[in-house]
Amino acid sequence: GVLNTLKLAVAGCALATALGLALGLLRVAGNALLSRLVDSYVEITRNTRLTLQLFFWIAATHALPSVRQALSPTPHVYLSVRGVYLPWITVESGELWPLVVLLAALALVVSIAHWRWGGPLPGRFWMPVAALAVLLAAGWFVGRGVRLAPDLPRLQGFNIVGGVGLTPEFAAMLAGLSVYYAASVAEIVRSGLQSVSKGQGEAGRAIGLGRGRILRLIVLPQAMRVITPLITSIYLDLTKDTTLGVLIGYTELTAVIKTSANNTGNAVETLLVLVVVFLSISLPVSAAINAYNRRLARRGLASS
């Protein structure tokens, strides 16, 4: 139950952030048609109950054709009543997890150095770090004989084999949470971008910067001070709303706790376990993002 909740929460936060960021940028891009379309999407989504949207998505997954007539919107992607099948990458030989641990340790060292430095690290610091990461990866792949291979789903008889499969319940929950919270992320991104004065962009254009570099180097760093605290609330709300999976048959933590309470009769104890688990997930996420927000605030005060 915990693993299913974490998988859904992490994937939902990532997709909602990516979709919401794209929609937020489109909304302030200056194109009237795109802005109206995104505005309509945001208004419809935010003014419709999440439970109703989840029921819609689970009904949509159950309305998909059988495996033999599975939809294939892109090559090697199949949509059927049994779920969604996507390409994946498998390790044919060797082990990859020690390399992941090494790269994570390197990222931790860089994060500590960033924190101790008290501001943006100098540009000359990043080239050796990137070169070291590439050398570690190349050395591990060559020295340990690690080989990766694409694992593509394919129709075989009355089934789809290969790739990674998402159950209809997981796909419905992921689509519902991502679409619903992407609307809120889009609004947060829009408000954050519009909180930066137009003079900042005009100053960037005056020194010859293009729109992309102005957005990346001038507008977004300032907007993040507005965006980050609100994004924290979105991530926590999305994680807590994974409990709605019990309504459409997704076996996440709440469904397991409910079954345990029915089997043991210890409703209070099992609910306390549920509370402790969700606190252990939410509090570290909130603390990490709040620390990042405080660092952004200190950087803004230092620059002013």
Side-chain angles (χ1 to χ4, degrees):
V2 173
L3 290 177
N4 284 343
T5 296
L6 289 175
K7 286 191 296 184
L8 183 57
V10 172
C13 289
L15 287 179
T17 302
L19 181 58
L21 178 61
L23 292 174
L25 293 175
L26 288 176
R27 197 170 185 185
V28 298
N31 187 301
L33 177 60
L34 288 177
S35 180
R36 286 182 178 276
L37 289 175
V38 174
D39 184 64
S40 300
Y41 161 80
V42 170
E43 292 301 320
I44 292 172
T45 304
R46 296 184 69 187
N47 289 284
T48 308
R49 291 294 298 265
L50 177 56
T51 52
L52 179 61
Q53 295 185 34
L54 293 178
F55 287 140
F56 165 79
W57 286 109
I58 192 64
T61 57
H62 288 164
L64 290 172
S66 63
V67 171
R68 296 297 295 271
Q69 288 82 36
L71 301 178
S72 183
T74 61
H76 305 296
V77 174
Y78 294 96
L79 309 177
S80 76
V81 72
R82 294 189 184 178
V84 180
Y85 295 84
L86 305 171
W88 196 246
I89 297 177
T90 59
V91 181
E92 282 193 338
S93 62
E95 293 181 334
L96 202 57
W97 67 266
L99 175 62
V100 175
V101 172
L102 288 175
L103 294 179
L106 179 62
L108 178 61
V109 171
V110 172
S111 299
I112 294 174
H114 197 291
W115 176 71
R116 295 294 297 273
W117 187 268
L121 292 171
R124 64 179 182 274
F125 177 83
W126 294 105
M127 288 299 294
V129 171
L132 178 59
V134 171
L135 287 175
L136 282 174
W140 185 264
F141 273 84
V142 174
R144 306 295 296 183
V146 178
R147 291 203 308 271
L148 303 179
D151 187 12
L152 304 176
R154 62 190 184 278
L155 289 172
Q156 182 173 312
F158 294 95
N159 202 359
I160 299 176
V161 297
V164 59
L166 309 179
T167 64
E169 293 78 17
F170 180 84
M173 284 296 300
L174 183 59
L177 292 175
S178 302
V179 169
Y180 181 80
Y181 281 102
S184 299
V185 173
E187 277 293 279
I188 292 171
V189 171
R190 179 196 59 80
S191 62
L193 294 176
Q194 291 181 344
S195 69
V196 181
S197 66
K198 294 183 178 180
Q200 300 288 322
E202 294 171 355
R205 286 192 293 273
I207 62 176
L209 295 179
R211 293 186 63 181
R213 297 190 68 189
I214 290 173
L215 179 65
R216 180 171 60 89
L217 300 176
I218 298 176
V219 178
L220 272 181
Q222 298 181 69
M224 287 301 293
R225 290 197 291 270
V226 176
I227 293 173
T228 303
L230 300 175
I231 287 288
T232 305
S233 177
I234 294 298
Y235 288 166
L236 296 178
D237 288 344
L238 189 150
T239 301
K240 288 183 287 187
D241 279 342
T242 58
T243 57
L244 295 177
V246 71
L247 299 177
I248 62 173
Y250 179 63
T251 310
E252 43 74 55
L253 181 60
T254 307
V256 175
I257 289 293
K258 180 181 177 182
T259 303
S260 300
N262 291 335
N263 290 338
T264 63
N266 299 324
V268 175
E269 291 85 348
T270 52
L271 287 177
L272 286 176
V273 171
L274 180 64
V275 170
V276 170
V277 172
F278 268 102
L279 285 177
S280 66
I281 295 173
S282 299
L283 291 180
V285 173
S286 178
I289 299 181
N290 286 335
Y292 176 71
N293 187 49
R294 286 193 296 270
R295 189 175 68 186
L296 285 177
R298 287 197 301 268
R299 187 183 303 175
L301 292 173
S303 62
S304 61

